[in-house]
Amino acid sequence: MIALTSLGVGMFYFVPLWILGIRKMPRLSNEDLKACAVLAMLHTVGHVAAVVAMSAGAVSFTHIIKALEPMFSVVFGAVLHGRMDPFRVNVWLIPIIAGVAWAAIGSKIVAGDDILADINIVALSGAMTSNIAFALRGLLSKKFKAETKAENLSSSNLYSVMTLLAFLLFLPFALVIEGGKLSASWPPVEGLHSIPSHVLGVKTLASSLTEHLLELILWTGLYYYMYNEMAYLVLGEVSATAQAVANTVKRVVILLATVVFLGESMDLHKAFGSFIAIGATMLYSMAKLKN
């Protein structure tokens, strides 16, 4: 249900924009709708698999596996389009991925902790499935945007259409799988014990645990939608692999955000891994421009 609500909340943003005419509604042919349905299925699979991975295993382990997404973009790009960037460009993907991995588990390696203890087969399968689905989604989205003649189909509108279709596709599955459990345990607030005055710097408005739960769902869905719409704006300007690289560096930002907002410690290894990943991203970008 978390995956479903993350998709559904986005409609509270783009549907009013369409209705009020602030953003022109795209006009799609049947062929366009079929192509968008394929993208929506990939988006649904990638999103649900990522949520499952985060729920089943350690966050750090999931981010390490998710950091491999650019590799999948390179491979699938070669298979689908028959071309890829030269080695002098793609070689910088290695330190980017290594930097994210070291930022996540470097301190455990140095301390001699068992890093294999974080490995969970469900989390591994979910993260790898998400990588495959999102890599294909990015490549096919780029191809569809280049070929379609649909009116008003901007990068933002493409993601809006994809979100709407993904929500409708996943809704019956979510209701069948978890609808009964949700209704039997409503309100599902057993994990919430108090209402903080602020969440990530935003003042809390809820006066009950149920309201607080709905407030968290709303903010989570809104942040998820806005982040992905921005990612699609980026995808409209760069290659699918470059966008996947940016998505990988985002994982360093997430690790750093845990320091700022969740009070986790910033040790030398986390800082070093972040520096390597961000520096390698800059070098990847320079090599890409020279290519």
Side-chain angles (χ1 to χ4, degrees), residues 79-92:
V79 172
L80 293 175
H81 304 307
R83 63 179 183 275
M84 68 170 63
D85 290 328
F87 177 77
R88 65 177 179 275
V89 175
N90 288 331
V91 69
W92 294 109

Side-chain angles (χ1 to χ4, degrees), residues 31-45:
E31 291 301 314
D32 291 329
L33 284 173
K34 290 178 183 178
C36 287
V38 173
L39 296 177
M41 285 188 284
L42 290 171
H43 181 58
T44 302
V45 171

Side-chain angles (χ1 to χ4, degrees), residues 6-291:
S6 296
L7 294 170
V9 168
M11 292 189 289
F12 291 104
Y13 173 74
F14 63 81
V15 171
L17 294 182
W18 285 347
I19 294 175
L20 298 174
I22 298 174
R23 177 187 292 178
K24 292 184 178 181
M25 186 180 298
R27 301 189 180 187
L28 306 176
S29 65
N30 289 335
E31 291 301 314
D32 291 329
L33 284 173
K34 290 178 183 178
C36 287
V38 173
L39 296 177
M41 285 188 284
L42 290 171
H43 181 58
T44 302
V45 171
H47 176 50
V48 173
V51 171
V52 170
M54 290 288 186
S55 301
V59 174
S60 59
F61 173 72
T62 302
H63 280 300
I64 292 169
I65 303 302
K66 289 287 290 173
L68 298 174
E69 185 180 332
M71 294 294 190
F72 287 91
S73 293
V74 170
V75 173
F76 289 139
V79 172
L80 293 175
H81 304 307
R83 63 179 183 275
M84 68 170 63
D85 290 328
F87 177 77
R88 65 177 179 275
V89 175
N90 288 331
V91 69
W92 294 109
L93 297 175
I94 298 174
I96 292 172
I97 295 170
V100 174
W102 191 262
I105 61 172
S107 58
K108 291 184 178 181
I109 294 175
V110 172
D113 294 340
D114 182 13
I115 60 173
L116 296 180
D118 285 340
I119 295 179
N120 179 296
I121 190 62
V122 176
L124 175 63
S125 300
M128 291 297 285
T129 300
S130 181
N131 281 340
I132 293 171
F134 282 158
L136 287 172
R137 183 198 63 176
L139 289 164
L140 294 178
S141 293
K142 192 76 176 177
K143 184 175 183 291
F144 172 63
K145 276 283 285 152
E147 296 176 352
T148 183
K149 292 182 169 50
E151 186 178 348
N152 302 327
L153 192 63
S154 62
S155 296
S156 296
N157 270 339
L158 174 58
Y159 183 70
S160 297
V161 171
M162 196 169 62
T163 296
L164 177 60
L165 293 176
F167 177 80
L168 296 176
L169 287 170
F170 187 51
L171 177 61
F173 293 97
L175 291 177
V176 169
I177 296 171
E178 293 191 336
K181 296 178 182 178
L182 183 63
S183 61
S185 61
W186 186 264
V189 295
E190 62 275 4
L192 298 175
H193 306 292
S194 62
I195 302 175
S197 60
H198 292 77
V199 176
L200 299 183
V202 179
K203 182 175 176 56
T204 303
L205 302 177
S207 58
S208 69
L209 289 178
T210 301
E211 290 179 358
H212 183 47
L213 172 65
L214 296 175
E215 190 174 24
L216 291 175
I217 290 173
L218 179 64
W219 280 117
T220 300
L222 183 61
Y223 286 139
Y224 177 78
Y225 178 83
M226 296 305 295
Y227 142 68
N228 273 289
E229 182 169 301
M230 182 60 66
Y232 257 69
L233 288 172
V234 172
L235 182 61
E237 302 298 326
V238 301
S239 69
T241 302
Q243 196 266 350
V245 168
N247 203 32
T248 293
V249 177
K250 171 201 73 177
R251 306 190 187 286
V252 172
V253 177
I254 292 174
L255 292 171
L256 297 179
T258 62
V259 175
V260 177
F261 295 110
L262 301 181
E264 292 191 7
S265 62
M266 167 57 85
D267 58 33
L268 177 63
H269 306 291
K270 190 174 292 186
F272 177 72
S274 301
F275 174 78
I276 293 297
I278 294 172
T281 300
M282 182 184 69
L283 293 172
Y284 171 87
S285 302
M286 294 172 62
K288 186 81 173 175
L289 288 173
K290 291 180 180 180
N291 183 37

